[in-house]
Every structure is written in C-alpha cells, then in structure tokens.
Amino acid sequence: MGLVIVALAMGLGYVLLKGNNPVPSEQENPESTSTEPTSAEVASVPGAPVVTANTSFATSSSTTMVTGKVKPNGASTIYWFDYGETSALGKQTGAQSIGSGFSTLETPGFITGLRANTLYYFRLSARNSFGTVSGATYTFQTNNNPPPQGIAPTTKTISATAISRTTANLNGQIDPNGSETTYWFEYGKENDLGYVTALQSAGSGDTTTSVSISASGLEPLTKYYFRLNAQNQYGTINGSIMNFTTQGPSATTQPTVTTNSATNINSTSATLNGRISPNGVDATFWFEYSEDSLLGSLIGSGTPHQTIGSGASNFSAKAGISNLNKDTKYYYRLVGNNQYGTVYGKIDSFRTKN
C-alpha cells in the first residue's frame, strides 16, 4: 500500500515524507514483522490485536494519508488513527473494521480537516473483545499543497455459488473509484468469520467489476458466513455478511440410488428413470434390464454408463432403451458406482404396448 501512496503523491506533486522518531508511548506494541495472507489461514489462539504504524505519509495543506498494519488475532477488530497538534492527540478518524483473521492487513487512513503548515502527532490504534492496543506516536507536517481528490472503494457481497461438500465460490462486486484497490474475502462458521483469502488486485478503474474467489477445505453440511472487503489509500470498506451451507453427506460413501417408474412406453421403446446421489465423490450410473424378473440374464450390458460429479445431489437419472418386443414385460433397475462400491436399486417393471 506504501507504493500506492508514493504513486499518488508523485502524480499530484506531493512528497512522500519519512516520519520523525517516535514519541515515547507506554502502549507501543513492539511487533513489527508482518506477512500478507497468501491462502486461507486456520485460526489459532485469539487475542488482542497487534498494530504496527508505518512512518511514511503523504501530506497536503489540509489532509494526510497514513498507513499501518493490524493483525486482528481471531476476534472482530476495528482500527482508527488518533491525531492532534500535541502529543496528547485528542482526535480520531472514523473506525473501520479489519475483520477477525490471523493475517496482518494494511490499515490505510485518510485524515482531513487539518491546518496548513502545522505539526501533527498521530498513532494507529485497534480494538477487539480482548483489548485495545495503540502503536507508537509519530509526527507529520502539513504544507501548502492542494489536497488530493479520491474516495474509498465501493463493495457489495454477492451470494455464493458452486457450493459442494467442501468448496464454494465467494462472490462480490467492487468499484475502485479511481484508486488502486486491493480486495479479499473473509469467511467462517460464525459471524466473526476468521478465515482470510489471498489478497487480490481490483485495479484502479471507476466502474463496478465482479470478483470471485474459491474457498476450499470446508466442512460438509456446515453453515458458513462470508463478506467481501476492499481498501485503497482512502480507507477500508466491508461488504455485508452473507451465508451459505455446504452440501452433504457428512462423510463420503457409496452412492444412493432409487429406481423410478418407466415413462414414454410404447411397443418397442421406453425411458427408464431413477435418482442418484454420488455422496461426495464422482460416480457413474446405468440401468440393467431384462425379460428375466431376477435380471439374471441381462440384455447386453445395460444402458451406456453416465458420469456425474461429486457435488450432485438427488440427480435425475434417465436412459432410453429401444428394440424391445411388443406386448412384453421387462424388468429393470438403476445401478450406481463410485470408488467406494456399486449399489443396485430395487427392481421395477413395465410392459410394452402391442
């Protein structure tokens, strides 16, 4: 995010400044190492947030862009910047939510309403249910440059799609509003979320773009909550929280099959019907049929084998058969197979027409 501020500052004629040595602060958090999330991270032990203020900023006559980093540490966390004309500070930016994951995330702040050519003090603070933590206090100097023009991104969380036992596509929409924007999804089994996807670039356009990330390693038959987040140098914006429930079964097993009544029966052909659920792994199905009530002597090898994916549930199985004898009773059943075994449906029957 520092690079974003550099680019903006250079484009508008500003100078990226290095902050003065920190003013001593009893609340300073000594941790300064951070890593951006590269994949969904499993939550560990929740705790108070970890904050690290960056000492670089871009100023104008009435604004400054400051940055920092916060690790929410497993609990829903908000952050803000304290600032003022003395080390006592006294003012705050609006609080913004940074989620509840265990990854360290950028925390941009855009402070407005400042006086020109004035020394200001500032620090990054964050709070969750485990406590409030503030970083070291630094200073910046405003100048006579005109303020930059821009706004935070616009985000919208969209319903999840392609939901299976252990995966789902998390969807949303972003408008960067003309500034380089990064986005990510949070998700989890509670409203506090806790899992974070890899950070992605949404570019710097000024139109709404659809975004999607696949979440994997989910638990079957489980309700998950998720939201889309985005940030640029003007702030962090959280989409609304939505939910979805993964499919079953709770464990992978042999397929489940049901033989249903035949349809489209005439003198030499018919359609065989049934239902099959693959139960967590790819499966194939086919119909066996014969004039033998015990299906001991099949007609050929049955209908052609058809494949369905692991995510299917109660799939409608159909197959047409022909070259049948007139006014003859036929017996049939649906058969399903996956890596755990082969399952046979009940035997049903129909009679061809004259």
Side-chain angles (χ1 to χ4, degrees):
M1 190 61 67
L3 293 177
V4 173
I5 295 178
V6 172
L8 180 65
M10 293 178 64
L12 295 175
Y14 300 133
V15 178
L16 186 69
L17 304 177
K18 187 71 173 179
N20 296 338
N21 291 331
V23 177
S25 170
E26 294 180 358
Q27 292 181 296
E28 179 177 356
N29 192 311
E31 181 165 329
S32 60
T33 302
S34 64
T35 56
E36 293 183 346
T38 56
S39 61
E41 299 181 21
V42 178
S44 53
V45 180
V50 176
V51 302
T52 307
N54 291 351
T55 58
S56 298
F57 45 81
T59 60
S60 72
S61 60
S62 61
T63 66
T64 187
M65 297 175 188
V66 290
T67 63
K69 293 182 180 181
V70 169
K71 183 197 295 185
N73 262 350
S76 183
T77 298
I78 59 173
Y79 78 88
W80 66 93
F81 285 88
D82 302 295
Y83 66 99
E85 294 184 25
T86 71
S87 59
L89 305 173
K91 297 182 178 180
Q92 293 181 349
T93 63
Q96 301 190 73
S97 173
I98 198 66
S100 57
F102 284 82
S103 299
T104 300
L105 299 172
E106 296 281 353
T107 54
F110 189 54
I111 304 176
T112 61
L114 306 177
R115 294 197 304 161
N117 300 312
T118 303
L119 180 69
Y120 282 90
Y121 297 77
F122 76 100
R123 71 182 180 190
L124 172 63
S125 297
R127 180 174 69 241
N128 64 21
S129 58
F130 292 91
T132 300
V133 177
S134 296
T137 300
Y138 295 92
T139 61
F140 63 84
Q141 178 87 30
T142 55
N143 48 48
N144 290 318
N145 292 329
Q149 301 298 314
I151 58 175
T154 303
T155 67
K156 182 179 181 180
T157 310
I158 304 296
S159 298
T161 56
I163 302 167
S164 70
R165 294 179 64 254
T166 58
T167 62
N169 289 343
L170 311 182
N171 305 307
Q173 294 178 338
I174 295 177
D175 185 344
N177 287 328
S179 296
E180 190 65 35
T181 295
T182 297
Y183 72 91
W184 68 98
F185 286 88
E186 292 177 277
Y187 63 99
K189 291 184 283 187
E190 305 291 341
N191 272 315
D192 277 348
L193 308 172
Y195 296 81
V196 180
T197 66
L199 302 183
Q200 304 285 334
S201 173
S204 57
D206 56 4
T207 59
T208 300
T209 302
S210 296
V211 296
S212 181
I213 292 178
S214 178
S216 59
L218 308 180
E219 297 179 15
L221 296 175
T222 302
K223 188 174 186 178
Y224 281 88
Y225 299 85
F226 73 103
R227 71 178 175 191
L228 171 63
N229 304 310
Q231 65 179 204
N232 60 25
Q233 66 265 36
Y234 296 100
T236 301
I237 301 297
N238 309 115
S240 58
I241 294 178
M242 302 186 71
N243 66 76
F244 64 91
T245 300
T246 51
Q247 296 184 358
S250 57
T252 52
T253 62
Q254 294 176 342
T256 302
V257 300
T258 302
T259 307
N260 291 337
S261 299
T263 56
N264 301 322
I265 302 168
N266 57 41
S267 59
T268 60
S269 64
T271 299
L272 308 182
N273 303 294
R275 293 278 178 179
I276 177 171
S277 293
N279 287 340
V281 292
D282 291 348
T284 59
F285 71 87
W286 65 95
F287 290 88
E288 296 179 336
Y289 63 103
S290 172
E291 294 180 29
D292 179 358
S293 63
L294 299 179
L295 297 179
S297 176
L298 299 177
I299 298 176
S301 57
T303 64
H305 291 207
Q306 301 181 55
T307 300
I308 56 174
S310 60
S313 178
N314 202 26
F315 180 83
S316 179
K318 294 179 179 293
I321 55 176
S322 58
N323 297 319
L324 306 180
N325 297 320
K326 297 179 180 180
D327 193 25
T328 302
K329 190 171 187 178
Y330 285 89
Y331 300 86
Y332 67 99
R333 64 184 172 193
L334 175 62
V335 184
N337 171 267
N338 64 18
Q339 66 189 62
Y340 295 99
T342 300
V343 177
Y344 298 88
K346 69 177 181 65
I347 298 176
D348 205 339
S349 66
F350 67 91
R351 179 177 291 277
T352 55
K353 297 179 180 180
N354 280 322

